[in-house]
PDB file of all heavy atoms in Angstrom:
ATOM      1  N   ARG E  31      80.972 150.586  77.533  1.00 89.00           N
ATOM      2  CA  ARG E  31      80.668 149.208  77.108  1.00 89.00           C
ATOM      3  C   ARG E  31      80.384 148.307  78.303  1.00 89.00           C
ATOM      4  O   ARG E  31      79.783 147.251  78.149  1.00 89.00           O
ATOM      5  CB  ARG E  31      81.804 148.639  76.265  1.00 89.00           C
ATOM      6  CG  ARG E  31      81.917 149.305  74.922  1.00 89.00           C
ATOM      7  CD  ARG E  31      82.820 148.540  73.968  1.00 89.00           C
ATOM      8  NE  ARG E  31      84.234 148.785  74.208  1.00 89.00           N
ATOM      9  CZ  ARG E  31      85.107 147.864  74.563  1.00 89.00           C
ATOM     10  NH1 ARG E  31      84.730 146.617  74.767  1.00 89.00           N
ATOM     11  NH2 ARG E  31      86.364 148.173  74.727  1.00 89.00           N
ATOM     12  N   GLN E  91      84.839 150.030  81.125  1.00 90.00           N
ATOM     13  CA  GLN E  91      85.397 149.663  79.824  1.00 90.00           C
ATOM     14  C   GLN E  91      84.632 150.499  78.807  1.00 90.00           C
ATOM     15  O   GLN E  91      83.389 150.494  78.805  1.00 90.00           O
ATOM     16  CB  GLN E  91      85.196 148.182  79.574  1.00 90.00           C
ATOM     17  CG  GLN E  91      85.973 147.626  78.397  1.00 90.00           C
ATOM     18  CD  GLN E  91      85.774 146.125  78.306  1.00 90.00           C
ATOM     19  OE1 GLN E  91      84.677 145.659  78.039  1.00 90.00           O
ATOM     20  NE2 GLN E  91      86.828 145.374  78.551  1.00 90.00           N
ATOM     21  N   ALA E  92      85.360 151.226  77.948  1.00 85.00           N
ATOM     22  CA  ALA E  92      84.674 152.190  77.087  1.00 85.00           C
ATOM     23  C   ALA E  92      85.362 152.310  75.745  1.00 85.00           C
ATOM     24  O   ALA E  92      86.525 151.929  75.575  1.00 85.00           O
ATOM     25  CB  ALA E  92      84.629 153.561  77.775  1.00 85.00           C
ATOM     26  N   GLY E  93      84.650 152.860  74.782  1.00 74.00           N
ATOM     27  CA  GLY E  93      85.211 153.180  73.491  1.00 74.00           C
ATOM     28  C   GLY E  93      85.387 151.956  72.614  1.00 74.00           C
ATOM     29  O   GLY E  93      85.367 150.815  73.073  1.00 74.00           O
ATOM     30  N   GLU E  94      85.596 152.203  71.333  1.00 63.00           N
ATOM     31  CA  GLU E  94      85.750 151.104  70.383  1.00 63.00           C
ATOM     32  C   GLU E  94      87.207 150.771  70.125  1.00 63.00           C
ATOM     33  O   GLU E  94      87.525 149.696  69.635  1.00 63.00           O
ATOM     34  CB  GLU E  94      85.073 151.474  69.062  1.00 63.00           C
ATOM     35  CG  GLU E  94      83.564 151.609  69.162  1.00 63.00           C
ATOM     36  CD  GLU E  94      82.899 150.343  69.664  1.00 63.00           C
ATOM     37  OE1 GLU E  94      83.341 149.239  69.262  1.00 63.00           O
ATOM     38  OE2 GLU E  94      81.957 150.444  70.465  1.00 63.00           O
ATOM     39  N   THR E  95      88.121 151.702  70.455  1.00 57.00           N
ATOM     40  CA  THR E  95      89.532 151.485  70.128  1.00 57.00           C
ATOM     41  C   THR E  95      90.369 151.099  71.340  1.00 57.00           C
ATOM     42  O   THR E  95      91.545 150.816  71.211  1.00 57.00           O
ATOM     43  CB  THR E  95      90.148 152.766  69.518  1.00 57.00           C
ATOM     44  OG1 THR E  95      89.998 153.837  70.453  1.00 57.00           O
ATOM     45  CG2 THR E  95      89.440 153.113  68.228  1.00 57.00           C
ATOM     46  N   SER E  96      89.751 151.068  72.517  1.00 58.00           N
ATOM     47  CA  SER E  96      90.540 150.788  73.727  1.00 58.00           C
ATOM     48  C   SER E  96      90.669 149.296  73.995  1.00 58.00           C
ATOM     49  O   SER E  96      91.278 148.895  74.978  1.00 58.00           O
ATOM     50  CB  SER E  96      89.915 151.479  74.932  1.00 58.00           C
ATOM     51  OG  SER E  96      88.616 150.982  75.151  1.00 58.00           O
ATOM     52  N   GLY E  97      90.087 148.463  73.155  1.00 64.00           N
ATOM     53  CA  GLY E  97      90.203 147.029  73.373  1.00 64.00           C
ATOM     54  C   GLY E  97      89.503 146.623  74.636  1.00 64.00           C
ATOM     55  O   GLY E  97      88.400 147.070  74.922  1.00 64.00           O
ATOM     56  N   SER E  98      90.156 145.779  75.413  1.00 75.00           N
ATOM     57  CA  SER E  98      89.538 145.225  76.604  1.00 75.00           C
ATOM     58  C   SER E  98      90.030 145.888  77.882  1.00 75.00           C
ATOM     59  O   SER E  98      89.726 145.423  78.960  1.00 75.00           O
ATOM     60  CB  SER E  98      89.826 143.735  76.660  1.00 75.00           C
ATOM     61  OG  SER E  98      91.233 143.529  76.592  1.00 75.00           O
ATOM     62  N   ARG E  99      90.763 146.981  77.798  1.00 84.00           N
ATOM     63  CA  ARG E  99      91.344 147.567  78.995  1.00 84.00           C
ATOM     64  C   ARG E  99      90.294 148.235  79.855  1.00 84.00           C
ATOM     65  O   ARG E  99      89.264 148.703  79.359  1.00 84.00           O
ATOM     66  CB  ARG E  99      92.427 148.569  78.619  1.00 84.00           C
ATOM     67  CG  ARG E  99      91.990 149.664  77.676  1.00 84.00           C
ATOM     68  CD  ARG E  99      93.137 150.599  77.356  1.00 84.00           C
ATOM     69  NE  ARG E  99      93.584 151.313  78.560  1.00 84.00           N
ATOM     70  CZ  ARG E  99      94.697 152.031  78.617  1.00 84.00           C
ATOM     71  NH1 ARG E  99      95.497 152.103  77.571  1.00 84.00           N
ATOM     72  NH2 ARG E  99      95.023 152.663  79.719  1.00 84.00           N
ATOM     73  N   LEU E 100      90.554 148.237  81.185  1.00 90.00           N
ATOM     74  CA  LEU E 100      89.662 148.851  82.161  1.00 90.00           C
ATOM     75  C   LEU E 100      90.323 150.081  82.764  1.00 90.00           C
ATOM     76  O   LEU E 100      91.543 150.139  82.896  1.00 90.00           O
ATOM     77  CB  LEU E 100      89.341 147.876  83.296  1.00 90.00           C
ATOM     78  CG  LEU E 100      88.606 146.595  82.952  1.00 90.00           C
ATOM     79  CD1 LEU E 100      88.397 145.752  84.204  1.00 90.00           C
ATOM     80  CD2 LEU E 100      87.267 146.906  82.307  1.00 90.00           C
TER      81      LEU E 100
ATOM     82  N   ALA I  31      93.321 137.294  76.666  1.00 92.00           N
ATOM     83  CA  ALA I  31      93.922 138.561  77.072  1.00 92.00           C
ATOM     84  C   ALA I  31      94.503 138.476  78.479  1.00 92.00           C
ATOM     85  O   ALA I  31      93.931 137.823  79.362  1.00 92.00           O
ATOM     86  CB  ALA I  31      92.879 139.683  77.018  1.00 92.00           C
ATOM     87  N   TYR I  33      96.830 141.012  81.540  1.00 96.00           N
ATOM     88  CA  TYR I  33      97.081 142.387  81.924  1.00 96.00           C
ATOM     89  C   TYR I  33      97.997 142.430  83.144  1.00 96.00           C
ATOM     90  O   TYR I  33      97.953 141.541  83.989  1.00 96.00           O
ATOM     91  CB  TYR I  33      95.769 143.098  82.320  1.00 96.00           C
ATOM     92  CG  TYR I  33      94.618 142.864  81.387  1.00 96.00           C
ATOM     93  CD1 TYR I  33      93.877 141.686  81.462  1.00 96.00           C
ATOM     94  CD2 TYR I  33      94.268 143.808  80.424  1.00 96.00           C
ATOM     95  CE1 TYR I  33      92.812 141.463  80.598  1.00 96.00           C
ATOM     96  CE2 TYR I  33      93.207 143.587  79.567  1.00 96.00           C
ATOM     97  CZ  TYR I  33      92.484 142.405  79.663  1.00 96.00           C
ATOM     98  OH  TYR I  33      91.448 142.191  78.802  1.00 96.00           O
ATOM     99  N   TYR I  48      99.351 145.317  78.562  1.00 94.00           N
ATOM    100  CA  TYR I  48      98.359 144.294  78.326  1.00 94.00           C
ATOM    101  C   TYR I  48      98.611 143.613  76.993  1.00 94.00           C
ATOM    102  O   TYR I  48      99.264 144.162  76.100  1.00 94.00           O
ATOM    103  CB  TYR I  48      96.932 144.841  78.429  1.00 94.00           C
ATOM    104  CG  TYR I  48      96.540 145.873  77.403  1.00 94.00           C
ATOM    105  CD1 TYR I  48      95.641 145.565  76.385  1.00 94.00           C
ATOM    106  CD2 TYR I  48      97.011 147.182  77.481  1.00 94.00           C
ATOM    107  CE1 TYR I  48      95.242 146.523  75.464  1.00 94.00           C
ATOM    108  CE2 TYR I  48      96.618 148.135  76.567  1.00 94.00           C
ATOM    109  CZ  TYR I  48      95.742 147.809  75.566  1.00 94.00           C
ATOM    110  OH  TYR I  48      95.353 148.765  74.653  1.00 94.00           O
ATOM    111  N   GLN I  50      96.498 141.095  74.120  1.00 90.00           N
ATOM    112  CA  GLN I  50      95.209 140.520  73.725  1.00 90.00           C
ATOM    113  C   GLN I  50      95.375 139.227  72.948  1.00 90.00           C
ATOM    114  O   GLN I  50      94.392 138.535  72.672  1.00 90.00           O
ATOM    115  CB  GLN I  50      94.402 141.549  72.936  1.00 90.00           C
ATOM    116  CG  GLN I  50      94.125 142.786  73.783  1.00 90.00           C
ATOM    117  CD  GLN I  50      93.038 143.662  73.227  1.00 90.00           C
ATOM    118  OE1 GLN I  50      91.900 143.552  73.639  1.00 90.00           O
ATOM    119  NE2 GLN I  50      93.392 144.543  72.311  1.00 90.00           N
ATOM    120  N   GLN I  56     100.617 145.631  74.287  1.00 94.00           N
ATOM    121  CA  GLN I  56     100.534 147.088  74.167  1.00 94.00           C
ATOM    122  C   GLN I  56     100.890 147.740  75.497  1.00 94.00           C
ATOM    123  O   GLN I  56     100.638 147.182  76.568  1.00 94.00           O
ATOM    124  CB  GLN I  56      99.111 147.532  73.788  1.00 94.00           C
ATOM    125  CG  GLN I  56      98.690 147.180  72.381  1.00 94.00           C
ATOM    126  CD  GLN I  56      98.269 145.740  72.261  1.00 94.00           C
ATOM    127  OE1 GLN I  56      97.637 145.184  73.148  1.00 94.00           O
ATOM    128  NE2 GLN I  56      98.626 145.123  71.141  1.00 94.00           N
ATOM    129  N   ASN I  96      88.547 138.616  76.669  1.00 65.00           N
ATOM    130  CA  ASN I  96      88.302 139.730  75.760  1.00 65.00           C
ATOM    131  C   ASN I  96      89.123 139.708  74.488  1.00 65.00           C
ATOM    132  O   ASN I  96      90.278 139.319  74.469  1.00 65.00           O
ATOM    133  CB  ASN I  96      88.617 141.043  76.464  1.00 65.00           C
ATOM    134  CG  ASN I  96      87.548 141.414  77.446  1.00 65.00           C
ATOM    135  OD1 ASN I  96      86.869 140.547  77.977  1.00 65.00           O
ATOM    136  ND2 ASN I  96      87.396 142.682  77.681  1.00 65.00           N
ATOM    137  N   ARG I  97      88.486 140.177  73.462  1.00 59.00           N
ATOM    138  CA  ARG I  97      89.202 140.679  72.299  1.00 59.00           C
ATOM    139  C   ARG I  97      88.603 142.059  72.018  1.00 59.00           C
ATOM    140  O   ARG I  97      87.694 142.480  72.696  1.00 59.00           O
ATOM    141  CB  ARG I  97      88.987 139.767  71.105  1.00 59.00           C
ATOM    142  CG  ARG I  97      89.611 138.399  71.301  1.00 59.00           C
ATOM    143  CD  ARG I  97      90.145 137.848  70.057  1.00 59.00           C
ATOM    144  NE  ARG I  97      90.753 136.547  70.273  1.00 59.00           N
ATOM    145  CZ  ARG I  97      91.465 135.971  69.347  1.00 59.00           C
ATOM    146  NH1 ARG I  97      91.646 136.560  68.191  1.00 59.00           N
ATOM    147  NH2 ARG I  97      92.020 134.803  69.576  1.00 59.00           N
ATOM    148  N   GLN I  98      89.107 142.739  71.015  1.00 56.00           N
ATOM    149  CA  GLN I  98      88.603 144.065  70.670  1.00 56.00           C
ATOM    150  C   GLN I  98      87.096 144.033  70.531  1.00 56.00           C
ATOM    151  O   GLN I  98      86.544 143.194  69.816  1.00 56.00           O
ATOM    152  CB  GLN I  98      89.212 144.537  69.347  1.00 56.00           C
ATOM    153  CG  GLN I  98      88.811 145.936  68.950  1.00 56.00           C
ATOM    154  CD  GLN I  98      89.900 146.942  69.244  1.00 56.00           C
ATOM    155  OE1 GLN I  98      90.970 146.588  69.678  1.00 56.00           O
ATOM    156  NE2 GLN I  98      89.615 148.203  69.006  1.00 56.00           N
ATOM    157  N   GLY I  99      86.425 144.959  71.256  1.00 55.00           N
ATOM    158  CA  GLY I  99      84.976 145.078  71.149  1.00 55.00           C
ATOM    159  C   GLY I  99      84.210 144.252  72.149  1.00 55.00           C
ATOM    160  O   GLY I  99      83.015 144.420  72.292  1.00 55.00           O
ATOM    161  N   SER I 100      84.856 143.358  72.871  1.00 62.00           N
ATOM    162  CA  SER I 100      84.144 142.541  73.848  1.00 62.00           C
ATOM    163  C   SER I 100      84.138 143.244  75.190  1.00 62.00           C
ATOM    164  O   SER I 100      84.801 144.241  75.382  1.00 62.00           O
ATOM    165  CB  SER I 100      84.806 141.173  73.948  1.00 62.00           C
ATOM    166  OG  SER I 100      84.120 140.366  74.877  1.00 62.00           O
ATOM    167  N   ASN I 101      83.366 142.782  76.167  1.00 70.00           N
ATOM    168  CA  ASN I 101      83.266 143.437  77.459  1.00 70.00           C
ATOM    169  C   ASN I 101      83.084 142.439  78.592  1.00 70.00           C
ATOM    170  O   ASN I 101      82.214 142.599  79.433  1.00 70.00           O
ATOM    171  CB  ASN I 101      82.140 144.469  77.453  1.00 70.00           C
ATOM    172  CG  ASN I 101      80.833 143.874  76.960  1.00 70.00           C
ATOM    173  OD1 ASN I 101      80.722 142.671  76.794  1.00 70.00           O
ATOM    174  ND2 ASN I 101      79.848 144.724  76.754  1.00 70.00           N
ATOM    175  N   GLN I 102      83.904 141.412  78.621  1.00 81.00           N
ATOM    176  CA  GLN I 102      83.871 140.441  79.695  1.00 81.00           C
ATOM    177  C   GLN I 102      84.748 140.893  80.849  1.00 81.00           C
ATOM    178  O   GLN I 102      85.706 141.637  80.653  1.00 81.00           O
ATOM    179  CB  GLN I 102      84.354 139.076  79.169  1.00 81.00           C
ATOM    180  CG  GLN I 102      83.437 138.479  78.126  1.00 81.00           C
ATOM    181  CD  GLN I 102      82.039 138.286  78.668  1.00 81.00           C
ATOM    182  OE1 GLN I 102      81.853 137.664  79.709  1.00 81.00           O
ATOM    183  NE2 GLN I 102      81.057 138.839  77.976  1.00 81.00           N
ATOM    184  N   GLN I 104      87.521 141.036  83.879  1.00 92.00           N
ATOM    185  CA  GLN I 104      88.859 140.528  84.110  1.00 92.00           C
ATOM    186  C   GLN I 104      88.886 139.806  85.456  1.00 92.00           C
ATOM    187  O   GLN I 104      88.221 140.204  86.400  1.00 92.00           O
ATOM    188  CB  GLN I 104      89.873 141.682  84.106  1.00 92.00           C
ATOM    189  CG  GLN I 104      89.986 142.361  82.756  1.00 92.00           C
ATOM    190  CD  GLN I 104      90.937 143.537  82.775  1.00 92.00           C
ATOM    191  OE1 GLN I 104      91.714 143.718  83.708  1.00 92.00           O
ATOM    192  NE2 GLN I 104      90.890 144.343  81.723  1.00 92.00           N
TER     193      GLN I 104
END
Side-chain angles (χ1 to χ4, degrees):
Chain E
R31 291 193 280 118
Q91 192 176 66
E94 294 302 321
T95 58
S96 62
S98 55
R99 55 180 296 169
L100 297 179
Chain I
Y33 315 80
Y48 64 109
Q50 299 196 96
Q56 290 79 38
N96 285 27
R97 294 215 179 191
Q98 183 102 4
S100 181
N101 52 10
Q102 295 301 307
Q104 295 177 14

